[in-house]
Amino acid sequence: MSFRQKLFLILTISSTLFIFSNSLQTAESSSSESGIFVNFLNNILSFLNINASRDFLTFLIRKSAHVVEFMLQSVFLCGFFLNCRKKFREYLVHIMFSGIITACIDEALQLTSPGRSGQISDVFVDFSGTLIGILIIILVLYFYKRKSGA
C-alpha cells in the first residue's frame, strides 16, 4: 500500500470515527456544541441586519454539519480509491455503499445517546453529503483532465 493510500485510509477512518463520536454525545452536549456555531452565525446575520430564528439557525447548522462530515468522508475515500491505480468509476458503488452504511450506523448510535433520536430523514441528509463529496471529486477530475489534455 502506497503512502498516499495509507494517508487517505487514515483520513477516512478518522472522519468516520469523528462522525460516530458526535453521534454518541448526549443531546445536551451536542446542543452546546451546535450553540457555539449558532451564536457565531447569529452575530454575523445581526451585523448584516438579517433576522433569523434561533430554531432555524440550529436546524441549518446541525444539518450542514452532517453534510460536511459525510462529504469529507467520501472525499477521503475517493482519494484512497484514486490511488489504487484502477478506473475510479469502478469504486463509486463502494464509496456510496460506505456512505449509506455509515449513515445508518450513525443514526443507530444516536438511539443509544441520552436525549437523542435516530431519524431516517437524517440518513438522507448524511448520504447527500456523500454524494456531494463524490460530485466534487468527479468535477475536480474532469477539470484536471481537461486542463492537462488527458
Side-chain angles (χ1 to χ4, degrees):
M1 189 180 293
S2 72
F3 172 77
R4 287 183 184 176
Q5 284 176 300
K6 289 177 187 174
L7 175 64
F8 281 112
L9 184 59
I10 289 168
L11 289 170
T12 301
I13 292 169
S14 297
S15 65
T16 304
L17 292 175
F18 180 76
I19 289 168
F20 292 160
S21 70
N22 285 335
S23 294
L24 292 171
Q25 290 181 346
T26 65
E28 183 180 321
S29 177
S30 179
S31 293
S32 174
E33 203 169 277
S34 298
I36 295 168
F37 294 100
V38 169
N39 290 336
F40 178 73
L41 183 57
N42 194 33
N43 288 338
I44 291 172
L45 293 175
S46 293
F47 178 76
L48 298 172
N49 206 23
I50 299 171
N51 294 323
S53 76
R54 187 160 182 83
D55 287 343
F56 173 74
L57 293 178
T58 299
F59 174 83
L60 184 68
I61 292 292
R62 293 180 76 82
K63 298 307 175 193
S64 297
H66 279 262
V67 170
V68 170
E69 288 173 341
F70 279 80
M71 179 193 68
L72 288 173
Q73 181 200 38
S74 68
V75 165
F76 296 149
L77 195 54
C78 286
F80 172 79
F81 284 126
L82 281 168
N83 285 284
C84 288
R85 307 279 185 234
K86 290 187 179 181
K87 298 276 185 197
F88 177 66
R89 67 178 164 259
E90 295 174 22
Y91 296 111
L92 284 176
V93 171
H94 301 294
I95 297 164
M96 288 189 284
F97 183 73
S98 295
I100 200 75
I101 289 298
T102 303
C104 290
I105 293 170
D106 178 51
E107 293 306 311
L109 285 173
Q110 288 184 36
L111 295 173
T112 68
S113 302
R116 304 279 303 267
S117 65
Q119 298 179 5
I120 296 295
S121 60
D122 280 352
V123 171
F124 294 109
V125 171
D126 297 344
F127 189 62
S128 72
T130 297
L131 296 177
I132 291 168
I134 292 169
L135 181 60
I136 288 169
I137 294 300
I138 289 170
L139 290 172
V140 167
L141 290 174
Y142 171 78
F143 287 115
Y144 175 77
K145 286 181 181 179
R146 190 169 170 198
K147 183 180 178 189
S148 66

